[in-house]
Amino acid sequence: EIVMTQSPATLSVSPGETATLSCRASQSFTSNLAWYQQKPGQAPRLLIYGASTRATGIPARFSASGSGTEFTLTISSLQSEDFAVYFCQQYHHWPLTFGGGTKVEIK
Amino acid sequence: EVQLVESGGGLVVPGGSLRLSCAASGFTFSAYSMNWVRQAPGKGLEWVSSISTAGSYTYYSDSVKGRFSISRDNAKNSLSLQMNNLRAEDTAVYYCARDTSNYDILDAFNIWGQGTLVAVSS
C-alpha cells in the first residue's frame, strides 16, 4: 500500500498570502496524484489531477507540481472561500489512498 | 446537470447489513468506472471500493473485503454497495464518486454525491 503523508496538518495563512501544502508518498510514481478541497458539511471537490492539471472550473490561483514521492499544492493570493481542508490522493496503484489532510485556516 | 445522489444510510446494529444506492444522472453512466469513498466523523477520506464500467472488475480496501460488495445496474444508472457484518468502525459518511475520465479505472474522482451517513451502534 502506498502511504500518503500530508504536511503540515494545519496551516495558518492570512487572506491574500500564499499557502504551500505538501504530500509525500511512500513509493515513487509519476503523476497519478489528485488534490481535493473539502469544506465543512460538503463533499470533496476535485482541484488537481495528474499531479498538475487543474480540474474544470478551478481558478488559476491553484497550482500543483511534483513527481516521484514529493508533491505540492500551492494556493496563491488566498481568498476567503479557500479556507478548507485539502487532501491528496494517489491513484497509481490499488488500494487507492488519501493523505490525512491539511487544514488551511485563517491567521 | 451531472449529479450523483446517495441513499440508504441509517442506523444499524453491529453485525447487521445495509445497502447503499447511488443514482446517477446527467452523464453516460455506463461509460465511467464508479467508486465509494467514506469519511468517519471528524476524520479523513478512505477509499472503499471501485467497479469498472461493465461491472466486470471490482476492487476493495482490505478493511471491507469479504464484507462489502459493489455492483452497478447500467440500465438504471445506479450504483450499489451491499454492506454486511457491519462494525462500529464502519460508521461514516459514504460518498459515491465518478472517475474523471472514461479511459482508465485508476483515476481521480471529479463528481461526488452529497453522501449518506451510516451509523453502526447497539
Side-chain angles (χ1 to χ4, degrees), chain A residues 1 32-34 36 38 41-46 48-50 55 87 89 91-100, chain B residues 35 37 39 43-47 49-50 59-62 95 100 104-115:
Chain A
E1 171 177 324
N32 285 2
L33 183 107
Y36 300 88
Q38 188 179 34
Q42 296 185 16
R45 177 174 72 144
L46 178 66
I48 301 287
Y49 63 95
F87 295 95
Q89 177 215 7
Y91 51 96
H92 174 71
H93 196 271
W94 306 104
L96 308 182
T97 48
F98 291 87
Chain B
N35 313 273
V37 176
Q39 187 170 35
K43 302 297 184 182
L45 301 171
E46 180 188 12
W47 169 76
S49 183
S50 299
Y59 303 85
Y60 300 93
S61 67
D62 284 348
Y95 297 100
T100 298
D104 190 341
I105 189 172
L106 284 166
D107 202 355
F109 308 150
N110 71 334
I111 305 296
W112 295 68
Q114 85 288 352

Short mmCIF file of all heavy atoms in Angstrom, two decimals, chain A residues 1 32-34 36 38 41-46 48-50 55 87 89 91-100, chain B residues 35 37 39 43-47 49-50 59-62 95 100 104-115:
data_model
loop_
_atom_site.label_atom_id
_atom_site.label_comp_id
_atom_site.label_asym_id
_atom_site.label_seq_id
_atom_site.Cartn_x
_atom_site.Cartn_y
_atom_site.Cartn_z
N GLU A 1 0.83 -1.19 0.00
CA GLU A 1 0.00 0.00 0.00
C GLU A 1 0.87 1.24 0.00
O GLU A 1 1.87 1.32 0.71
CB GLU A 1 -0.92 -0.01 1.23
CG GLU A 1 -1.68 1.26 1.46
CD GLU A 1 -2.63 1.18 2.64
OE1 GLU A 1 -3.22 0.11 2.87
OE2 GLU A 1 -2.80 2.21 3.34
N ASN A 32 0.07 10.10 -11.10
CA ASN A 32 -1.31 9.74 -10.73
C ASN A 32 -1.65 10.24 -9.33
O ASN A 32 -1.87 9.46 -8.39
CB ASN A 32 -1.51 8.23 -10.84
CG ASN A 32 -1.61 7.76 -12.27
OD1 ASN A 32 -1.50 8.55 -13.21
ND2 ASN A 32 -1.82 6.48 -12.44
N LEU A 33 -1.67 11.59 -9.22
CA LEU A 33 -1.95 12.20 -7.94
C LEU A 33 -3.02 13.28 -8.11
O LEU A 33 -2.99 14.05 -9.06
CB LEU A 33 -0.70 12.85 -7.34
CG LEU A 33 -1.00 13.42 -5.95
CD1 LEU A 33 -0.39 12.60 -4.85
CD2 LEU A 33 -0.62 14.87 -5.84
N ALA A 34 -3.94 13.32 -7.15
CA ALA A 34 -5.02 14.30 -7.17
C ALA A 34 -5.03 15.09 -5.87
O ALA A 34 -4.57 14.60 -4.84
CB ALA A 34 -6.37 13.60 -7.37
N TYR A 36 -7.84 17.41 -3.51
CA TYR A 36 -9.24 17.74 -3.29
C TYR A 36 -9.35 18.80 -2.20
O TYR A 36 -8.53 18.86 -1.28
CB TYR A 36 -10.02 16.50 -2.82
CG TYR A 36 -10.01 15.35 -3.80
CD1 TYR A 36 -8.99 14.41 -3.78
CD2 TYR A 36 -11.02 15.20 -4.76
CE1 TYR A 36 -8.98 13.35 -4.68
CE2 TYR A 36 -11.01 14.14 -5.66
CZ TYR A 36 -9.98 13.24 -5.61
OH TYR A 36 -9.96 12.18 -6.51
N GLN A 38 -12.12 20.21 0.66
CA GLN A 38 -13.38 19.88 1.33
C GLN A 38 -13.71 20.94 2.37
O GLN A 38 -12.87 21.26 3.23
CB GLN A 38 -13.32 18.50 1.99
CG GLN A 38 -14.68 18.07 2.54
CD GLN A 38 -14.65 16.69 3.17
OE1 GLN A 38 -13.67 16.28 3.78
NE2 GLN A 38 -15.77 15.95 3.04
N GLY A 41 -19.25 19.97 6.02
CA GLY A 41 -20.57 19.56 5.58
C GLY A 41 -20.73 19.35 4.10
O GLY A 41 -21.85 19.11 3.62
N GLN A 42 -19.64 19.45 3.36
CA GLN A 42 -19.71 19.28 1.91
C GLN A 42 -18.88 18.08 1.46
O GLN A 42 -17.98 17.63 2.16
CB GLN A 42 -19.19 20.54 1.21
CG GLN A 42 -20.03 21.78 1.46
CD GLN A 42 -19.54 22.96 0.63
OE1 GLN A 42 -18.79 22.81 -0.34
NE2 GLN A 42 -19.99 24.17 1.01
N ALA A 43 -19.20 17.61 0.26
CA ALA A 43 -18.40 16.57 -0.35
C ALA A 43 -17.07 17.16 -0.84
O ALA A 43 -16.97 18.37 -1.07
CB ALA A 43 -19.15 15.96 -1.54
N PRO A 44 -16.07 16.33 -0.98
CA PRO A 44 -14.81 16.83 -1.55
C PRO A 44 -15.02 17.34 -2.97
O PRO A 44 -15.93 16.91 -3.68
CB PRO A 44 -13.91 15.59 -1.54
CG PRO A 44 -14.49 14.71 -0.49
CD PRO A 44 -15.97 14.93 -0.57
N ARG A 45 -14.15 18.25 -3.38
CA ARG A 45 -14.17 18.79 -4.74
C ARG A 45 -12.80 18.58 -5.35
O ARG A 45 -11.79 18.93 -4.74
CB ARG A 45 -14.53 20.28 -4.72
CG ARG A 45 -14.50 20.92 -6.12
CD ARG A 45 -14.98 22.35 -6.12
NE ARG A 45 -14.06 23.30 -5.52
CZ ARG A 45 -13.87 24.55 -5.95
NH1 ARG A 45 -14.52 24.97 -7.02
NH2 ARG A 45 -13.06 25.37 -5.32
N LEU A 46 -12.78 18.03 -6.55
CA LEU A 46 -11.51 17.80 -7.23
C LEU A 46 -10.91 19.14 -7.68
O LEU A 46 -11.56 19.92 -8.37
CB LEU A 46 -11.70 16.88 -8.44
CG LEU A 46 -10.45 16.60 -9.27
CD1 LEU A 46 -9.42 15.80 -8.48
CD2 LEU A 46 -10.83 15.84 -10.56
N ILE A 48 -7.15 19.22 -8.58
CA ILE A 48 -6.00 18.89 -9.43
C ILE A 48 -5.98 17.39 -9.70
O ILE A 48 -6.24 16.60 -8.79
CB ILE A 48 -4.68 19.27 -8.74
CG1 ILE A 48 -4.62 20.76 -8.40
CG2 ILE A 48 -3.48 18.83 -9.57
CD1 ILE A 48 -4.41 21.69 -9.58
N TYR A 49 -5.69 17.00 -10.92
CA TYR A 49 -5.43 15.59 -11.23
C TYR A 49 -4.19 15.53 -12.10
O TYR A 49 -3.72 16.55 -12.61
CB TYR A 49 -6.63 14.93 -11.89
CG TYR A 49 -7.01 15.52 -13.24
CD1 TYR A 49 -6.54 14.97 -14.42
CD2 TYR A 49 -7.84 16.64 -13.31
CE1 TYR A 49 -6.88 15.50 -15.65
CE2 TYR A 49 -8.18 17.18 -14.54
CZ TYR A 49 -7.70 16.61 -15.70
OH TYR A 49 -8.03 17.16 -16.91
N GLY A 50 -3.64 14.34 -12.23
CA GLY A 50 -2.41 14.20 -13.00
C GLY A 50 -1.27 15.00 -12.42
O GLY A 50 -0.37 15.44 -13.14
N ALA A 55 -8.63 20.85 -12.52
CA ALA A 55 -9.93 20.33 -12.94
C ALA A 55 -10.78 21.47 -13.51
O ALA A 55 -10.47 22.66 -13.32
CB ALA A 55 -10.63 19.67 -11.77
N PHE A 87 -6.95 17.43 0.69
CA PHE A 87 -6.48 16.05 0.71
C PHE A 87 -5.76 15.74 -0.60
O PHE A 87 -6.21 16.15 -1.67
CB PHE A 87 -7.65 15.07 0.83
CG PHE A 87 -8.42 15.14 2.11
CD1 PHE A 87 -9.58 15.91 2.21
CD2 PHE A 87 -7.99 14.46 3.24
CE1 PHE A 87 -10.30 15.98 3.39
CE2 PHE A 87 -8.70 14.52 4.43
CZ PHE A 87 -9.85 15.28 4.50
N GLN A 89 -4.41 12.41 -2.99
CA GLN A 89 -4.81 11.03 -3.24
C GLN A 89 -3.95 10.47 -4.36
O GLN A 89 -3.77 11.12 -5.39
CB GLN A 89 -6.28 10.95 -3.66
CG GLN A 89 -6.76 9.54 -4.00
CD GLN A 89 -7.78 9.51 -5.12
OE1 GLN A 89 -8.06 10.53 -5.77
NE2 GLN A 89 -8.36 8.35 -5.37
N TYR A 91 -3.65 7.57 -7.23
CA TYR A 91 -4.44 6.58 -7.96
C TYR A 91 -3.52 5.83 -8.92
O TYR A 91 -3.90 5.45 -10.03
CB TYR A 91 -5.65 7.19 -8.66
CG TYR A 91 -5.37 8.40 -9.53
CD1 TYR A 91 -5.18 8.28 -10.89
CD2 TYR A 91 -5.34 9.68 -8.98
CE1 TYR A 91 -4.95 9.37 -11.70
CE2 TYR A 91 -5.11 10.80 -9.77
CZ TYR A 91 -4.91 10.63 -11.13
OH TYR A 91 -4.68 11.73 -11.92
N HIS A 92 -2.30 5.62 -8.43
CA HIS A 92 -1.32 4.88 -9.21
C HIS A 92 -1.49 3.38 -9.05
O HIS A 92 -1.24 2.61 -9.98
CB HIS A 92 0.08 5.30 -8.76
CG HIS A 92 1.19 4.52 -9.38
ND1 HIS A 92 1.55 4.66 -10.72
CD2 HIS A 92 2.03 3.58 -8.87
CE1 HIS A 92 2.55 3.85 -10.99
NE2 HIS A 92 2.86 3.18 -9.89
N HIS A 93 -1.91 2.97 -7.86
CA HIS A 93 -1.95 1.55 -7.55
C HIS A 93 -3.03 1.27 -6.52
O HIS A 93 -3.31 2.10 -5.67
CB HIS A 93 -0.57 1.12 -7.02
CG HIS A 93 -0.34 -0.35 -7.03
ND1 HIS A 93 -0.69 -1.17 -5.97
CD2 HIS A 93 0.19 -1.18 -7.96
CE1 HIS A 93 -0.39 -2.42 -6.27
NE2 HIS A 93 0.16 -2.45 -7.46
N TRP A 94 -3.63 0.07 -6.62
CA TRP A 94 -4.57 -0.35 -5.59
C TRP A 94 -3.82 -0.75 -4.32
O TRP A 94 -2.76 -1.34 -4.41
CB TRP A 94 -5.39 -1.55 -6.08
CG TRP A 94 -6.09 -1.35 -7.37
CD1 TRP A 94 -5.72 -1.86 -8.58
CD2 TRP A 94 -7.27 -0.56 -7.61
NE1 TRP A 94 -6.60 -1.43 -9.54
CE2 TRP A 94 -7.56 -0.64 -8.97
CE3 TRP A 94 -8.12 0.20 -6.79
CZ2 TRP A 94 -8.66 0.00 -9.55
CZ3 TRP A 94 -9.20 0.84 -7.36
CH2 TRP A 94 -9.47 0.74 -8.71
N PRO A 95 -4.36 -0.46 -3.15
CA PRO A 95 -5.58 0.32 -2.91
C PRO A 95 -5.33 1.81 -3.09
O PRO A 95 -4.25 2.31 -2.79
CB PRO A 95 -5.91 -0.01 -1.46
CG PRO A 95 -4.57 -0.23 -0.83
CD PRO A 95 -3.74 -0.91 -1.89
N LEU A 96 -6.33 2.50 -3.57
CA LEU A 96 -6.24 3.95 -3.66
C LEU A 96 -6.12 4.49 -2.23
O LEU A 96 -6.79 4.01 -1.32
CB LEU A 96 -7.49 4.52 -4.33
CG LEU A 96 -7.86 3.90 -5.69
CD1 LEU A 96 -9.09 4.60 -6.27
CD2 LEU A 96 -6.69 3.94 -6.65
N THR A 97 -5.27 5.49 -2.06
CA THR A 97 -5.06 6.01 -0.72
C THR A 97 -5.04 7.53 -0.71
O THR A 97 -4.59 8.17 -1.66
CB THR A 97 -3.75 5.47 -0.11
OG1 THR A 97 -2.69 5.64 -1.06
CG2 THR A 97 -3.86 4.00 0.25
N PHE A 98 -5.54 8.07 0.40
CA PHE A 98 -5.58 9.51 0.62
C PHE A 98 -4.59 9.89 1.72
O PHE A 98 -4.31 9.09 2.62
CB PHE A 98 -6.97 9.95 1.08
CG PHE A 98 -8.04 9.85 0.04
CD1 PHE A 98 -8.75 8.67 -0.16
CD2 PHE A 98 -8.37 10.95 -0.75
CE1 PHE A 98 -9.76 8.58 -1.11
CE2 PHE A 98 -9.38 10.87 -1.71
CZ PHE A 98 -10.07 9.68 -1.88
N GLY A 99 -4.12 11.12 1.65
CA GLY A 99 -3.39 11.66 2.75
C GLY A 99 -4.34 12.05 3.87
O GLY A 99 -5.56 12.08 3.68
N GLY A 100 -3.77 12.35 5.03
CA GLY A 100 -4.59 12.67 6.19
C GLY A 100 -5.23 14.06 6.16
O GLY A 100 -6.11 14.35 6.97
N ASN B 35 -17.06 4.58 -7.86
CA ASN B 35 -16.34 4.35 -6.62
C ASN B 35 -17.17 4.69 -5.40
O ASN B 35 -18.10 5.49 -5.48
CB ASN B 35 -15.09 5.23 -6.60
CG ASN B 35 -14.31 5.18 -7.89
OD1 ASN B 35 -13.45 4.32 -8.09
ND2 ASN B 35 -14.60 6.10 -8.81
N VAL B 37 -16.33 6.07 -1.44
CA VAL B 37 -15.33 6.63 -0.53
C VAL B 37 -16.07 6.96 0.76
O VAL B 37 -17.20 7.45 0.72
CB VAL B 37 -14.69 7.90 -1.11
CG1 VAL B 37 -13.73 8.53 -0.11
CG2 VAL B 37 -13.98 7.60 -2.43
N GLN B 39 -15.96 8.58 4.97
CA GLN B 39 -15.31 9.52 5.86
C GLN B 39 -15.92 9.38 7.25
O GLN B 39 -17.08 9.74 7.46
CB GLN B 39 -15.46 10.95 5.34
CG GLN B 39 -14.68 11.99 6.12
CD GLN B 39 -14.67 13.33 5.41
OE1 GLN B 39 -15.64 13.72 4.76
NE2 GLN B 39 -13.57 14.05 5.51
N LYS B 43 -12.81 12.69 10.57
CA LYS B 43 -11.61 12.05 10.05
C LYS B 43 -11.41 12.35 8.57
O LYS B 43 -12.16 13.12 7.97
CB LYS B 43 -11.69 10.53 10.27
CG LYS B 43 -11.87 10.13 11.73
CD LYS B 43 -10.70 10.56 12.59
CE LYS B 43 -10.86 10.06 14.02
NZ LYS B 43 -9.73 10.51 14.90
N GLY B 44 -10.40 11.71 8.00
CA GLY B 44 -10.09 11.91 6.59
C GLY B 44 -10.87 10.99 5.68
O GLY B 44 -11.80 10.29 6.10
N LEU B 45 -10.50 11.02 4.42
CA LEU B 45 -11.18 10.23 3.40
C LEU B 45 -10.54 8.85 3.29
O LEU B 45 -9.32 8.71 3.38
CB LEU B 45 -11.08 10.95 2.05
CG LEU B 45 -11.69 12.34 1.99
CD1 LEU B 45 -11.33 13.03 0.68
CD2 LEU B 45 -13.19 12.28 2.17
N GLU B 46 -11.38 7.85 3.07
CA GLU B 46 -10.91 6.47 2.91
C GLU B 46 -11.60 5.85 1.70
O GLU B 46 -12.84 5.75 1.66
CB GLU B 46 -11.20 5.63 4.15
CG GLU B 46 -10.73 4.19 4.02
CD GLU B 46 -11.17 3.30 5.17
OE1 GLU B 46 -12.03 3.71 5.97
OE2 GLU B 46 -10.66 2.16 5.27
N TRP B 47 -10.82 5.45 0.74
CA TRP B 47 -11.38 4.73 -0.41
C TRP B 47 -11.91 3.38 0.05
O TRP B 47 -11.27 2.69 0.85
CB TRP B 47 -10.31 4.54 -1.47
CG TRP B 47 -10.72 3.59 -2.56
CD1 TRP B 47 -11.59 3.83 -3.60
CD2 TRP B 47 -10.30 2.23 -2.70
NE1 TRP B 47 -11.72 2.71 -4.38
CE2 TRP B 47 -10.94 1.71 -3.85
CE3 TRP B 47 -9.43 1.40 -1.98
CZ2 TRP B 47 -10.74 0.40 -4.28
CZ3 TRP B 47 -9.25 0.10 -2.41
CH2 TRP B 47 -9.90 -0.39 -3.56
N SER B 49 -14.22 1.14 -2.37
CA SER B 49 -14.40 0.16 -3.44
C SER B 49 -14.55 0.86 -4.78
O SER B 49 -14.98 2.02 -4.85
CB SER B 49 -15.66 -0.68 -3.17
OG SER B 49 -15.85 -1.68 -4.15
N SER B 50 -14.20 0.15 -5.84
CA SER B 50 -14.35 0.65 -7.21
C SER B 50 -14.89 -0.45 -8.10
O SER B 50 -14.68 -1.63 -7.82
CB SER B 50 -13.01 1.13 -7.77
OG SER B 50 -12.46 2.20 -7.02
N TYR B 59 -12.88 -3.82 -6.98
CA TYR B 59 -11.73 -3.67 -6.10
C TYR B 59 -12.22 -3.18 -4.74
O TYR B 59 -13.18 -2.41 -4.65
CB TYR B 59 -10.75 -2.64 -6.68
CG TYR B 59 -10.27 -2.98 -8.08
CD1 TYR B 59 -11.02 -2.61 -9.19
CD2 TYR B 59 -9.10 -3.70 -8.28
CE1 TYR B 59 -10.61 -2.94 -10.48
CE2 TYR B 59 -8.67 -4.03 -9.56
CZ TYR B 59 -9.44 -3.65 -10.65
OH TYR B 59 -9.03 -3.98 -11.92
N TYR B 60 -11.55 -3.65 -3.69
CA TYR B 60 -11.97 -3.32 -2.33
C TYR B 60 -10.76 -2.99 -1.46
O TYR B 60 -9.68 -3.55 -1.64
CB TYR B 60 -12.71 -4.50 -1.71
CG TYR B 60 -13.96 -4.91 -2.44
CD1 TYR B 60 -13.93 -5.91 -3.40
CD2 TYR B 60 -15.18 -4.29 -2.17
CE1 TYR B 60 -15.08 -6.28 -4.09
CE2 TYR B 60 -16.34 -4.66 -2.85
CZ TYR B 60 -16.27 -5.65 -3.81
OH TYR B 60 -17.41 -6.01 -4.49
N SER B 61 -11.00 -2.13 -0.49
CA SER B 61 -9.98 -1.93 0.52
C SER B 61 -9.94 -3.17 1.42
O SER B 61 -10.93 -3.90 1.54
CB SER B 61 -10.29 -0.69 1.36
OG SER B 61 -11.46 -0.89 2.13
N ASP B 62 -8.81 -3.40 2.04
CA ASP B 62 -8.68 -4.55 2.92
C ASP B 62 -9.68 -4.49 4.07
O ASP B 62 -10.14 -5.51 4.57
CB ASP B 62 -7.26 -4.65 3.48
CG ASP B 62 -6.27 -5.18 2.45
OD1 ASP B 62 -6.71 -5.69 1.40
OD2 ASP B 62 -5.05 -5.05 2.71
N TYR B 95 -19.69 8.30 0.38
CA TYR B 95 -19.86 9.06 -0.87
C TYR B 95 -19.71 8.12 -2.06
O TYR B 95 -18.81 7.27 -2.08
CB TYR B 95 -18.78 10.13 -1.00
CG TYR B 95 -18.79 11.22 0.04
CD1 TYR B 95 -17.90 11.19 1.11
CD2 TYR B 95 -19.65 12.31 -0.07
CE1 TYR B 95 -17.87 12.21 2.05
CE2 TYR B 95 -19.64 13.33 0.86
CZ TYR B 95 -18.75 13.27 1.93
OH TYR B 95 -18.74 14.28 2.86
N THR B 100 -12.87 10.64 -13.30
CA THR B 100 -12.78 11.85 -14.11
C THR B 100 -12.90 11.55 -15.60
O THR B 100 -13.58 12.26 -16.34
CB THR B 100 -11.44 12.56 -13.85
OG1 THR B 100 -11.39 12.95 -12.47
CG2 THR B 100 -11.28 13.79 -14.72
N ASP B 104 -9.41 5.03 -17.89
CA ASP B 104 -8.76 4.06 -17.02
C ASP B 104 -9.48 4.03 -15.67
O ASP B 104 -9.85 5.09 -15.15
CB ASP B 104 -7.29 4.45 -16.81
CG ASP B 104 -6.47 3.38 -16.12
OD1 ASP B 104 -7.07 2.48 -15.48
OD2 ASP B 104 -5.22 3.44 -16.21
N ILE B 105 -9.67 2.86 -15.12
CA ILE B 105 -10.37 2.77 -13.82
C ILE B 105 -9.56 3.44 -12.72
O ILE B 105 -10.11 3.92 -11.74
CB ILE B 105 -10.70 1.30 -13.48
CG1 ILE B 105 -11.61 1.22 -12.26
CG2 ILE B 105 -9.41 0.50 -13.28
CD1 ILE B 105 -12.14 -0.16 -11.96
N LEU B 106 -8.23 3.46 -12.86
CA LEU B 106 -7.38 4.16 -11.89
C LEU B 106 -7.39 5.64 -12.26
O LEU B 106 -6.73 6.08 -13.19
CB LEU B 106 -5.96 3.61 -11.91
CG LEU B 106 -5.76 2.26 -11.21
CD1 LEU B 106 -4.42 1.66 -11.58
CD2 LEU B 106 -5.89 2.41 -9.70
N ASP B 107 -8.17 6.41 -11.51
CA ASP B 107 -8.40 7.79 -11.91
C ASP B 107 -8.79 8.62 -10.70
O ASP B 107 -9.17 8.09 -9.65
CB ASP B 107 -9.53 7.83 -12.95
CG ASP B 107 -9.49 9.08 -13.81
OD1 ASP B 107 -8.66 9.97 -13.55
OD2 ASP B 107 -10.31 9.17 -14.74
N ALA B 108 -8.68 9.93 -10.85
CA ALA B 108 -9.19 10.84 -9.83
C ALA B 108 -10.72 10.87 -9.93
O ALA B 108 -11.31 10.43 -10.91
CB ALA B 108 -8.61 12.23 -10.04
N PHE B 109 -11.35 11.43 -8.90
CA PHE B 109 -12.81 11.47 -8.82
C PHE B 109 -13.30 12.91 -8.98
O PHE B 109 -13.05 13.75 -8.10
CB PHE B 109 -13.29 10.92 -7.47
CG PHE B 109 -12.72 9.58 -7.11
CD1 PHE B 109 -12.53 9.24 -5.78
CD2 PHE B 109 -12.41 8.63 -8.07
CE1 PHE B 109 -12.02 8.01 -5.41
CE2 PHE B 109 -11.90 7.38 -7.72
CZ PHE B 109 -11.70 7.08 -6.39
N ASN B 110 -13.99 13.19 -10.07
CA ASN B 110 -14.37 14.58 -10.30
C ASN B 110 -15.84 14.88 -10.01
O ASN B 110 -16.23 16.05 -9.99
CB ASN B 110 -14.01 15.03 -11.71
CG ASN B 110 -14.88 14.40 -12.76
OD1 ASN B 110 -15.43 13.31 -12.57
ND2 ASN B 110 -15.03 15.08 -13.89
N ILE B 111 -16.64 13.85 -9.79
CA ILE B 111 -18.04 14.06 -9.44
C ILE B 111 -18.33 13.27 -8.17
O ILE B 111 -18.04 12.07 -8.13
CB ILE B 111 -18.98 13.60 -10.57
CG1 ILE B 111 -18.63 14.28 -11.90
CG2 ILE B 111 -20.44 13.88 -10.18
CD1 ILE B 111 -18.81 15.78 -11.90
N TRP B 112 -18.88 13.95 -7.18
CA TRP B 112 -19.18 13.33 -5.90
C TRP B 112 -20.65 13.55 -5.55
O TRP B 112 -21.22 14.60 -5.85
CB TRP B 112 -18.33 13.95 -4.78
CG TRP B 112 -16.85 13.72 -4.90
CD1 TRP B 112 -16.01 14.22 -5.86
CD2 TRP B 112 -16.04 12.95 -4.02
NE1 TRP B 112 -14.72 13.80 -5.63
CE2 TRP B 112 -14.71 13.03 -4.49
CE3 TRP B 112 -16.28 12.20 -2.87
CZ2 TRP B 112 -13.64 12.38 -3.87
CZ3 TRP B 112 -15.23 11.57 -2.23
CH2 TRP B 112 -13.92 11.66 -2.73
N GLY B 113 -21.22 12.59 -4.87
CA GLY B 113 -22.55 12.79 -4.30
C GLY B 113 -22.44 13.57 -3.00
O GLY B 113 -21.34 13.93 -2.57
N GLN B 114 -23.58 13.81 -2.38
CA GLN B 114 -23.60 14.58 -1.14
C GLN B 114 -23.30 13.71 0.08
O GLN B 114 -23.06 14.22 1.17
CB GLN B 114 -24.94 15.29 -0.98
CG GLN B 114 -26.05 14.45 -0.35
CD GLN B 114 -26.60 13.36 -1.26
OE1 GLN B 114 -26.27 13.30 -2.46
NE2 GLN B 114 -27.44 12.50 -0.72
N GLY B 115 -23.33 12.41 -0.12
CA GLY B 115 -23.01 11.48 0.96
C GLY B 115 -24.24 11.00 1.71
O GLY B 115 -25.27 11.69 1.77
#
